[in-house]
Amino acid sequence: MAQDSQEAAVVRPVADILEQRNAGNSSGYILPKLHSMKEQNPNLALLDIGCGPGTISSTLAKIIPDGHVTGIDKSPDIIPRARDLAEESGVKNIEFQQGDAYKLPFADGAFDITICHQMLTYLKAPWDALSEMIRVTKVGGIIAAREGDLTSECVWPELPGLVKFHKLAGDLIKGGGGTDKGGRQLLSWALKAGVKREMITVSHSTWSYSTPKEKQIWSVALIERVQGSQLRGLGLKLGLTTGDLDEIVRHWTEWAERDDASIAMMHGEIIIRR
Amino acid sequence: MAQDSQEAAVVRPVADILEQRNAGNSSGYILPKLHSMKEQNPNLALLDIGCGPGTISSTLAKIIPDGHVTGIDKSPDIIPRARDLAEESGVKNIEFQQGDAYKLPFADGAFDITICHQMLTYLKAPWDALSEMIRVTKVGGIIAAREGDLTSECVWPELPGLVKFHKLAGDLIKGGGGTDKGGRQLLSWALKAGVKREMITVSHSTWSYSTPKEKQIWSVALIERVQGSQLRGLGLKLGLTTGDLDEIVRHWTEWAERDDASIAMMHGEIIIRR
């Protein structure tokens, strides 16, 4: 099944938020297994699908200096940025290329570890993408996925502009054929991809922003996004007024400045033993 | 402010779920600080407010064998059970007593560490209880609280009986004067109790159940609760029919038996440096 144009229209979070991601804050659930696999075989091959600016990929590459990481993303525009960021951080054992999660350009069993982060939730047939991840992974390897449940988001204070933004974010994912309840469905998607239950480990973890610096990064990035023509157009199309969009901007600004403000979201995680 | 009879009517989760709690699954956010404080002073005094069956208190007591733990709960009925469980697990440096979170029966600065878990969210004035926690804690000590955000709960599959149960659980907390959005408000409550922002650290974590054994414990406990006369009466009073209550029981049973089922909830956490 191909990723169609409707899916491509989904507005992903902007690059500067994505660039805050790393192995520590986004891949904690696979690190114990990664370290034990590395002890057995230092030359691990790892594939990161939907890598975006590649900050998770490159921090994982640092953990396996004698291994090799491949990052792919369906958007060719992000690839040069991923290459630049990896080079800036001195990571050599990595490559990035454009690729389709439904039709991975790799042979069966090409990787020891195949991961994705915040990718399956945007797809119409995530179980098909999981099947592909399984196909390109060696027997004895692992497939790992971490996806947010947007509906679990806890924001405080609940300013009206933030509530409207939260609804808009969910409508955009659903409008693109994805789901705002991805984390909780990972297990069911893996079963639908044909994996036996006993080969799957489930866990959950969170991200949260509450310090002045974290709130500043989050707020500035979201405001840029809301003021951008693409999201603005989609918001108006989905029933928001220009007044609503202005209120969203005003309330993210106020939120970042308030001492009592925080935001957190829960993620579901699965590790499949191949 | 006293805990009134309306608050007392809140149906707390049943004992066998509460007895699954321990320092590892419920107090991870304070363990690094607890260990560093213990290195400075092995004779730490720790107070756990709303301790219920005391399994968090007693596992913390094991971590500070030369220290002392006091567990208090407003319900005198749970105290003998807490004492029995601590004795069964061989913990000696602990005592349990009945006590009111709004009026702690302890002198100013009596404890090095004062904690609570899933307690403030049930109160009408959680900031008053936090003020009391701060009062009984020594300067240089810490106050720590962990509270769930019921609205962050992610259950799968979303069987209608589970959706009805989730709504009932929220209605019960709110009916008792509490909130189903406690975790995200901890920071604001601490500020309202007069704490400076720079003395507060915020974090989030989750609990989740997905293995057959975990689901069995959860499902059996909730079904017993729904079949009990107290919750049944409250459910009917809040607009559910006997058919709804039967459906809730049927769907928790089905949920526990399904391979694709899981449940998770996010918790807010704060540590206040006194």
Side-chain angles (χ1 to χ4, degrees):
Chain A
M1 185 177 294
Q3 287 156 281
D4 64 22
S5 58
Q6 202 186 356
E7 278 179 359
V10 170
V11 178
R12 297 282 198 112
V14 292
D16 49 351
I17 288 180
L18 292 181
E19 290 175 13
Q20 305 300 316
R21 307 187 308 183
N22 57 48
N25 62 28
S26 302
S27 308
Y29 72 112
I30 58 168
L31 295 185
K33 184 69 182 167
L34 180 60
H35 283 288
S36 69
M37 288 175 77
K38 176 184 147 186
E39 274 178 34
Q40 299 295 316
N41 172 20
N43 310 117
L44 292 172
L46 186 150
L47 173 64
D48 181 12
I49 302 167
C51 64
T55 47
I56 297 175
S57 331
S58 58
T59 47
L60 288 170
K62 284 185 183 176
I63 296 173
I64 49 167
D66 297 325
H68 187 82
V69 171
T70 305
I72 75 165
D73 200 280
K74 73 174 175 185
S75 163
D77 301 342
I78 198 70
I79 303 299
R81 178 69 181 156
R83 286 182 187 138
D84 286 350
L85 285 171
E87 199 176 323
E88 276 172 29
S89 63
V91 177
K92 306 282 187 200
N93 57 332
I94 198 161
E95 65 188 304
F96 295 100
Q97 66 180 81
Q98 194 275 336
D100 182 342
Y102 288 130
K103 202 173 174 180
L104 296 172
F106 305 108
D108 296 1
F111 298 93
D112 300 285
I113 301 172
T114 304
I115 68 163
C116 66
H117 185 271
Q118 299 285 62
M119 190 276 287
L120 297 171
T121 207
Y122 293 99
L123 303 184
K124 286 183 180 166
W127 43 88
D128 287 341
L130 273 169
S131 292
E132 268 293 90
M133 293 174 72
I134 293 163
R135 181 186 65 76
V136 302
T137 307
K138 285 188 183 84
V139 173
I142 61 166
I143 298 95
R146 184 171 191 258
E147 300 290 334
D149 261 284
L150 188 64
T151 58
S152 75
E153 189 180 272
C154 293
V155 67
W156 193 262
E158 293 184 306
L159 304 171
L162 310 193
V163 175
K164 284 175 190 169
F165 180 83
H166 178 78
K167 185 177 180 310
L168 174 61
D171 287 348
L172 285 171
I173 295 181
K174 289 183 281 185
T179 172
D180 55 356
K181 297 178 175 179
R184 75 188 73 183
Q185 293 183 70
L186 278 172
L187 172 58
S188 69
W189 294 342
L191 294 169
K192 200 163 175 178
V195 183
K196 292 206 172 90
R197 177 64 185 89
E198 60 268 27
M199 302 304 278
I200 309 167
T201 306
V202 178
S203 58
H204 288 79
S205 65
T206 67
W207 57 247
S208 67
Y209 300 131
S210 60
T211 67
K213 190 185 165 192
E214 288 167 344
K215 286 187 292 182
Q216 186 66 13
I217 291 169
W218 184 255
S219 152
V220 167
L222 290 188
I223 287 170
E224 274 181 17
R225 201 178 149 194
V226 173
Q227 288 177 329
S229 60
Q230 192 188 8
L231 186 62
R232 201 163 177 89
L234 285 167
L236 295 170
K237 207 171 146 188
L238 287 165
L240 292 181
T241 65
T242 54
D244 291 330
L245 292 164
D246 293 343
E247 186 184 44
I248 289 173
V249 169
R250 205 167 58 246
H251 284 166
W252 275 123
T253 306
E254 180 184 337
W255 176 84
E257 288 163 359
R258 284 180 65 143
D259 269 355
D260 61 350
S262 67
I263 190 166
M265 194 171 85
M266 188 156 61
H267 292 67
E269 301 158 341
I270 52 168
I271 294 178
I272 300 170
R273 292 182 300 288
R274 173 80 163 103
Chain B
M1 185 179 294
Q3 288 157 281
D4 64 22
S5 57
Q6 203 187 356
E7 279 181 357
V10 170
V11 178
R12 297 282 198 113
V14 292
D16 49 351
I17 289 180
L18 291 182
E19 291 175 12
Q20 306 299 317
R21 306 187 308 182
N22 57 49
N25 63 28
S26 302
S27 307
Y29 72 112
I30 58 168
L31 295 185
K33 185 70 182 165
L34 179 61
H35 283 288
S36 70
M37 288 175 75
K38 176 184 149 189
E39 275 178 33
Q40 299 296 315
N41 171 21
N43 309 118
L44 293 171
L46 186 150
L47 173 64
D48 181 11
I49 303 166
C51 64
T55 46
I56 296 176
S57 331
S58 59
T59 46
L60 287 170
K62 284 186 184 176
I63 295 174
I64 48 167
D66 297 324
H68 187 81
V69 171
T70 305
I72 75 165
D73 201 281
K74 73 174 176 184
S75 165
D77 302 341
I78 198 71
I79 303 299
R81 178 67 181 157
R83 287 182 186 136
D84 287 350
L85 284 172
E87 198 176 323
E88 277 172 29
S89 63
V91 177
K92 306 281 187 202
N93 57 331
I94 198 162
E95 66 187 305
F96 294 100
Q97 65 180 83
Q98 194 274 337
D100 182 342
Y102 287 129
K103 203 174 175 179
L104 295 173
F106 305 108
D108 295 1
F111 298 93
D112 300 283
I113 300 171
T114 305
I115 69 163
C116 66
H117 186 271
Q118 299 285 62
M119 189 276 287
L120 298 171
T121 208
Y122 294 98
L123 303 183
K124 286 182 180 167
W127 43 87
D128 287 341
L130 274 169
S131 292
E132 268 294 90
M133 292 174 72
I134 292 164
R135 182 186 64 76
V136 302
T137 307
K138 284 188 184 82
V139 173
I142 61 166
I143 298 94
R146 184 173 191 257
E147 300 290 334
D149 262 283
L150 188 63
T151 58
S152 74
E153 189 180 273
C154 294
V155 68
W156 193 263
E158 293 185 305
L159 305 171
L162 309 193
V163 176
K164 285 175 189 169
F165 180 83
H166 178 78
K167 185 176 180 310
L168 174 62
D171 288 347
L172 286 170
I173 294 181
K174 289 182 282 185
T179 172
D180 55 356
K181 297 179 175 179
R184 74 187 75 182
Q185 292 183 72
L186 278 171
L187 172 58
S188 69
W189 294 342
L191 294 169
K192 201 164 174 178
V195 183
K196 292 207 173 89
R197 177 64 184 87
E198 60 268 28
M199 302 303 278
I200 309 167
T201 306
V202 178
S203 57
H204 288 79
S205 65
T206 67
W207 57 246
S208 68
Y209 300 131
S210 60
T211 67
K213 190 184 165 191
E214 288 166 344
K215 287 186 293 182
Q216 185 67 13
I217 291 170
W218 184 254
S219 152
V220 166
L222 290 188
I223 286 170
E224 273 180 18
R225 203 179 149 195
V226 173
Q227 288 177 328
S229 59
Q230 192 189 7
L231 186 63
R232 203 165 176 87
L234 285 167
L236 294 171
K237 207 171 147 189
L238 287 166
L240 292 181
T241 65
T242 54
D244 291 329
L245 292 164
D246 293 344
E247 186 184 43
I248 289 173
V249 169
R250 204 166 60 244
H251 283 167
W252 276 122
T253 307
E254 180 183 336
W255 176 84
E257 289 164 357
R258 284 180 66 144
D259 269 355
D260 61 350
S262 67
I263 189 166
M265 194 169 84
M266 189 156 60
H267 291 68
E269 300 158 343
I270 51 168
I271 294 180
I272 300 170
R273 291 181 302 287
R274 173 80 163 102

